[in-house]
Amino acid sequence: MDDAGKAILNESNRIISKLQLLSVFFGDDIIYRIYLRSQVIHQLFADNPELDINKLQLFHLQYSQSLIDLLVKIKKNNEKSILILLDEIQLNKDLIAKIRESVLTFEQYRLDQQRQALKINTSLRKLFQVLSDDTSEYPFAKNINAFSERYSPDFYDEVSPDLITELEQYTPTDVYKNAYAVIQRKLMGVLCKYEFRSSFVCGLKAGDKIAEVYRLNDTDRYFIYFPAKELFLFCDITKIDQRGAPTELSKKETFIRELTDKNDQLNSSINIIKTTIPAEIKNLLADNYKKLNDINFLQNITDVDVQANILKTMLNTDMM
């Protein structure tokens, strides 16, 4: 075989290596079969010097190179789609990081419930003393309303304004009142009886109205605290649509979970998109493979106008 023939074989090896890499990348059975068939055709010319080596060159020019160009174009188009998804994933990650800076966890909420109940109990005990001694001393613990300001956006239950309005109604003659607080007389009596021991139950919100519900320990009696009015009243718990234990995820944490799940879905989509070949093109590749398996293919390789141009036509269509 002369130098020109060897050069054609070397170039054929290079083209077949490209096909092999693309068949591995896409992991598609029909591409792998075309690659194997191309190897067989190459080896046929390598083992039979008497064959016209120019037909091997023509085969690669008309079929192999057009297929490679097509697959590379599909790969690039897929990569463009993947870049869009990667941008979305990164934006989600940035948003997650930003939210995490201020997120309040359910564990924090649970712990601070106990602290808030202690503040309320201490304040009510002090209020009892102030009312009994008729002094002007401020009875409430420091930052007693910071709890609702901090946790109401994420953890308090949404209720109707009408319910809040109903729950805060009282008869003026039935309450103790001073410059700092209003509390039902009977409630104060019951609190004294149970030594001012209560536990936080839930928070309620309706617009800018906030309320905290407490249960007297070891009883089935409840009272409600309205921070904006410093008002304490008995509470009919049956009027409140209790949802059981509060959700263990704040709204921000729930949003983080949703963004994380979304990124997982996007990453799964990337793995699929990376090697996707449009169905129409897969069908044409299957037809192309059938042509390569034709025993008369090499004998008629110079007559390739229709079959070989199928791949070239695909390169200039919007099928991908």
Side-chain angles (χ1 to χ4, degrees):
M1 185 177 293
D2 57 20
D3 291 342
K6 292 178 180 178
I8 291 174
L9 283 176
N10 288 336
E11 179 63 13
S12 175
N13 273 321
R14 187 185 66 81
I15 291 173
I16 290 174
S17 293
K18 286 185 178 180
L19 271 177
Q20 181 185 26
L21 291 174
L22 288 167
S23 69
V24 171
F25 174 83
F26 283 99
D28 186 85
D29 183 63
I30 193 64
I31 298 175
Y32 185 69
R33 289 183 182 183
I34 291 174
Y35 153 69
L36 290 179
R37 183 59 179 164
S38 299
Q39 271 193 317
V40 170
I41 293 172
H42 168 89
Q43 199 61 43
L44 179 65
F45 281 95
D47 294 341
N48 296 277
E50 71 276 8
L51 294 177
D52 185 359
I53 195 69
N54 292 310
K55 287 189 175 182
L56 176 62
Q57 184 179 42
L58 181 60
F59 160 69
H60 285 311
L61 179 65
Q62 295 288 358
Y63 285 87
S64 304
Q65 191 58 53
S66 295
L67 174 59
I68 289 170
D69 292 342
L70 178 64
L71 293 176
V72 168
K73 182 176 180 180
I74 293 172
K75 184 172 179 287
K76 288 181 178 179
N77 285 347
N78 291 349
E79 287 170 350
K80 289 179 182 178
S81 299
I82 288 172
L83 283 176
I84 295 174
L85 298 184
L86 288 174
D87 286 342
E88 184 176 352
I89 289 173
Q90 188 57 51
L91 288 173
N92 289 342
K93 287 182 177 179
D94 292 343
L95 184 55
I96 289 172
K98 186 175 181 180
I99 294 173
R100 284 196 187 280
E101 294 176 359
S102 60
V103 71
L104 298 172
T105 66
F106 179 75
E107 289 74 19
Q108 289 174 311
Y109 179 51
R110 274 297 200 197
L111 181 60
D112 284 347
Q113 283 180 19
Q114 300 172 28
R115 294 172 178 167
Q116 178 66 3
L118 181 60
K119 282 186 178 182
I120 287 291
N121 293 337
T122 300
S123 298
L124 287 170
R125 185 178 288 107
K126 183 66 175 180
L127 178 60
F128 173 74
Q129 294 175 354
V130 168
L131 291 172
S132 298
D133 298 340
D134 194 21
T135 67
S136 60
E137 188 176 354
Y138 183 71
F140 294 115
K142 184 178 180 180
N143 297 325
I144 192 173
N145 294 334
F147 178 82
S148 60
E149 292 173 359
R150 186 181 190 193
Y151 290 105
S152 60
D154 285 334
F155 291 100
Y156 282 22
D157 293 335
E158 292 276 2
V159 297
S160 69
D162 290 342
L163 177 60
I164 292 291
T165 299
E166 180 181 357
L167 292 174
E168 66 184 3
Q169 297 301 311
Y170 64 90
T171 302
T173 56
D174 291 340
V175 300
Y176 293 116
K177 185 175 183 180
N178 68 4
Y180 304 111
V182 178
I183 183 169
Q184 277 182 319
R185 294 173 182 267
K186 289 184 179 180
L187 174 57
M188 181 61 83
V190 173
L191 287 167
C192 289
K193 178 180 178 181
Y194 289 96
E195 299 179 342
F196 299 93
R197 293 183 300 108
S198 68
S199 301
F200 181 90
V201 175
C202 65
L204 308 176
K205 62 181 178 181
D208 59 353
K209 291 186 175 183
I210 301 295
E212 299 170 9
V213 179
Y214 294 83
R215 181 178 63 85
L216 287 159
N217 291 353
D218 303 320
T219 76
D220 58 356
R221 306 195 71 175
Y222 298 79
F223 67 91
I224 190 167
Y225 169 54
F226 298 92
K229 296 184 176 183
E230 294 177 326
L231 172 63
F232 296 87
L233 302 172
F234 272 123
C235 175
D236 182 355
I237 198 67
T238 62
K239 293 182 178 180
I240 299 173
D241 180 18
Q242 289 182 287
R243 305 174 188 178
T247 175
E248 294 193 6
L249 294 175
S250 71
K251 290 181 179 178
K252 291 179 182 177
E253 286 180 303
T254 300
F255 189 44
I256 288 175
R257 178 69 60 81
E258 290 172 354
L259 289 175
T260 301
D261 290 344
K262 177 64 174 178
N263 276 359
D264 289 342
Q265 294 172 10
L266 291 174
N267 279 315
S268 297
S269 297
I270 285 174
N271 292 331
I272 295 173
I273 292 172
K274 181 180 178 181
T275 58
T276 293
I277 299 175
E280 299 90 340
I281 291 179
K282 290 188 72 171
N283 291 335
L284 289 172
L285 292 180
D287 291 339
N288 177 252
Y289 175 67
K290 290 179 182 178
K291 178 62 179 177
L292 295 183
N293 274 336
D294 187 345
I295 59 174
N296 296 319
F297 172 72
L298 290 176
Q299 296 176 2
N300 302 319
I301 196 169
T302 55
D303 185 20
V304 295
D305 291 342
V306 176
Q307 284 292 334
N309 286 330
I310 291 177
L311 296 175
K312 293 181 179 179
T313 300
M314 284 190 285
L315 282 166
N316 300 314
T317 67
D318 296 326
M319 295 179 69
M320 292 172 286

